[in-house]
Tab-separated table of all heavy atoms in Angstrom:
chain	number	residue	atom	x	y	z
A	3	HIS	N	54.730	99.336	110.625
A	3	HIS	CA	54.287	100.670	110.564
A	3	HIS	C	52.841	100.731	109.987
A	3	HIS	O	52.360	99.816	109.312
A	3	HIS	CB	55.191	101.536	109.698
A	3	HIS	CG	55.230	101.192	108.240
A	3	HIS	ND1	54.349	101.656	107.368
A	3	HIS	CD2	56.059	100.369	107.571
A	3	HIS	CE1	54.604	101.116	106.149
A	3	HIS	NE2	55.677	100.383	106.313
A	4	SER	N	52.186	101.821	110.284
A	4	SER	CA	50.783	102.074	109.750
A	4	SER	C	50.878	102.439	108.274
A	4	SER	O	51.941	102.793	107.812
A	4	SER	CB	50.113	103.125	110.583
A	4	SER	OG	50.782	104.380	110.311
A	5	PRO	N	49.698	102.486	107.605
A	5	PRO	CA	49.709	102.999	106.246
A	5	PRO	C	50.105	104.532	106.259
A	5	PRO	O	49.998	105.244	107.310
A	5	PRO	CB	48.235	102.929	105.901
A	5	PRO	CG	47.631	101.842	106.740
A	5	PRO	CD	48.422	101.964	108.029
A	6	LEU	N	50.674	104.974	105.153
A	6	LEU	CA	51.106	106.335	105.090
A	6	LEU	C	49.825	107.228	104.904
A	6	LEU	O	48.888	106.930	104.196
A	6	LEU	CB	51.973	106.564	103.831
A	6	LEU	CG	53.252	105.700	103.779
A	6	LEU	CD1	54.025	105.993	102.515
A	6	LEU	CD2	54.111	105.907	105.004
A	7	CYS	N	49.871	108.333	105.739
A	7	CYS	CA	48.779	109.320	105.591
A	7	CYS	C	49.382	110.669	105.163
A	7	CYS	O	50.576	110.919	105.375
A	7	CYS	CB	48.180	109.536	107.016
A	7	CYS	SG	47.437	108.052	107.720
A	8	SER	N	48.527	111.446	104.558
A	8	SER	CA	49.010	112.773	104.092
A	8	SER	C	48.309	113.864	104.801
A	8	SER	O	47.202	113.697	105.396
A	8	SER	CB	48.811	112.947	102.639
A	8	SER	OG	47.430	112.890	102.292
A	15	ILE	N	53.853	113.850	104.649
A	15	ILE	CA	53.437	112.484	104.895
A	15	ILE	C	53.810	112.046	106.327
A	15	ILE	O	54.880	112.389	106.847
A	15	ILE	CB	54.207	111.519	103.896
A	15	ILE	CG1	54.027	111.931	102.471
A	15	ILE	CG2	53.811	110.098	104.131
A	15	ILE	CD1	52.650	111.935	101.942
A	16	MET	N	52.857	111.335	106.919
A	16	MET	CA	53.113	110.847	108.333
A	16	MET	C	52.645	109.457	108.435
A	16	MET	O	51.860	108.925	107.648
A	16	MET	CB	52.384	111.769	109.242
A	16	MET	CG	50.913	111.758	109.172
A	16	MET	SD	50.073	112.765	110.394
A	16	MET	CE	50.203	111.724	111.834
A	17	PHE	N	53.183	108.714	109.456
A	17	PHE	CA	52.710	107.351	109.785
A	17	PHE	C	53.188	107.075	111.142
A	17	PHE	O	54.041	107.819	111.739
A	17	PHE	CB	53.384	106.363	108.747
A	17	PHE	CG	54.839	106.294	108.749
A	17	PHE	CD1	55.517	105.296	109.531
A	17	PHE	CD2	55.560	107.155	107.895
A	17	PHE	CE1	56.870	105.247	109.455
A	17	PHE	CE2	56.983	107.013	107.913
A	17	PHE	CZ	57.563	106.070	108.670
A	18	THR	N	52.726	106.026	111.725
A	18	THR	CA	53.154	105.542	113.071
A	18	THR	C	53.839	104.207	112.942
A	18	THR	O	53.538	103.552	111.959
A	18	THR	CB	52.023	105.463	114.035
A	18	THR	OG1	51.028	104.569	113.559
A	18	THR	CG2	51.337	106.787	114.274
A	45	GLU	N	50.789	113.791	95.634
A	45	GLU	CA	50.765	112.957	96.874
A	45	GLU	C	51.269	111.577	96.608
A	45	GLU	O	52.039	111.084	97.413
A	45	GLU	CB	49.324	112.976	97.373
A	45	GLU	CG	49.112	112.173	98.633
A	45	GLU	CD	47.705	112.135	99.103
A	45	GLU	OE1	46.841	112.826	98.542
A	45	GLU	OE2	47.454	111.350	100.048
A	48	ARG	N	55.039	111.644	96.434
A	48	ARG	CA	55.598	111.818	97.770
A	48	ARG	C	55.539	110.550	98.508
A	48	ARG	O	56.489	110.133	99.239
A	48	ARG	CB	54.907	113.005	98.450
A	48	ARG	CG	55.190	114.359	97.812
A	48	ARG	CD	54.251	115.428	98.249
A	48	ARG	NE	54.438	116.630	97.531
A	48	ARG	CZ	55.190	117.629	97.927
A	48	ARG	NH1	55.873	117.600	99.067
A	48	ARG	NH2	55.400	118.671	97.165
A	49	LYS	N	54.361	109.854	98.496
A	49	LYS	CA	54.298	108.600	99.238
A	49	LYS	C	55.234	107.553	98.659
A	49	LYS	O	55.802	106.775	99.415
A	49	LYS	CB	52.872	108.059	99.232
A	49	LYS	CG	51.921	108.818	100.107
A	49	LYS	CD	50.541	108.272	100.158
A	49	LYS	CE	49.648	108.971	101.161
A	49	LYS	NZ	48.287	108.446	101.161
A	50	THR	N	55.439	107.588	97.343
A	50	THR	CA	56.341	106.651	96.776
A	50	THR	C	57.754	106.871	97.213
A	50	THR	O	58.495	105.984	97.539
A	50	THR	CB	56.257	106.709	95.189
A	50	THR	OG1	54.937	106.364	94.780
A	50	THR	CG2	57.305	105.806	94.520
A	51	TRP	N	58.145	108.139	97.319
A	51	TRP	CA	59.542	108.482	97.856
A	51	TRP	C	59.698	107.978	99.252
A	51	TRP	O	60.655	107.370	99.583
A	51	TRP	CB	59.714	110.001	97.726
A	51	TRP	CG	61.127	110.324	98.117
A	51	TRP	CD1	62.216	110.481	97.200
A	51	TRP	CD2	61.666	110.556	99.326
A	51	TRP	NE1	63.339	110.864	97.905
A	51	TRP	CE2	63.032	110.896	99.203
A	51	TRP	CE3	61.164	110.646	100.669
A	51	TRP	CZ2	63.854	111.198	100.299
A	51	TRP	CZ3	61.927	110.903	101.788
A	51	TRP	CH2	63.279	111.171	101.548
A	52	VAL	N	58.671	108.228	100.103
A	52	VAL	CA	58.692	107.713	101.500
A	52	VAL	C	58.817	106.216	101.479
A	52	VAL	O	59.700	105.661	102.222
A	52	VAL	CB	57.507	108.203	102.288
A	52	VAL	CG1	57.444	107.589	103.652
A	52	VAL	CG2	57.560	109.813	102.494
A	53	ASN	N	58.031	105.521	100.701
A	53	ASN	CA	58.100	104.084	100.677
A	53	ASN	C	59.470	103.614	100.282
A	53	ASN	O	59.999	102.570	100.785
A	53	ASN	CB	57.000	103.460	99.860
A	53	ASN	CG	55.734	103.286	100.520
A	53	ASN	OD1	55.668	102.831	101.657
A	53	ASN	ND2	54.648	103.548	99.851
A	56	LEU	N	61.886	104.063	103.299
A	56	LEU	CA	61.370	103.704	104.604
A	56	LEU	C	62.377	103.251	105.577
A	56	LEU	O	62.357	103.683	106.779
A	56	LEU	CB	60.172	102.662	104.422
A	56	LEU	CG	59.212	102.673	105.499
A	56	LEU	CD1	58.556	103.936	105.782
A	56	LEU	CD2	58.176	101.581	105.122
Side-chain angles (χ1 to χ4, degrees):
H3 67 86
S4 69
L6 302 180
C7 300
S8 61
I15 306 299
M16 64 178 283
F17 63 94
T18 60
E45 177 181 353
R48 291 165 188 267
K49 284 184 176 180
T50 298
W51 187 91
V52 170
N53 274 319
L56 203 52

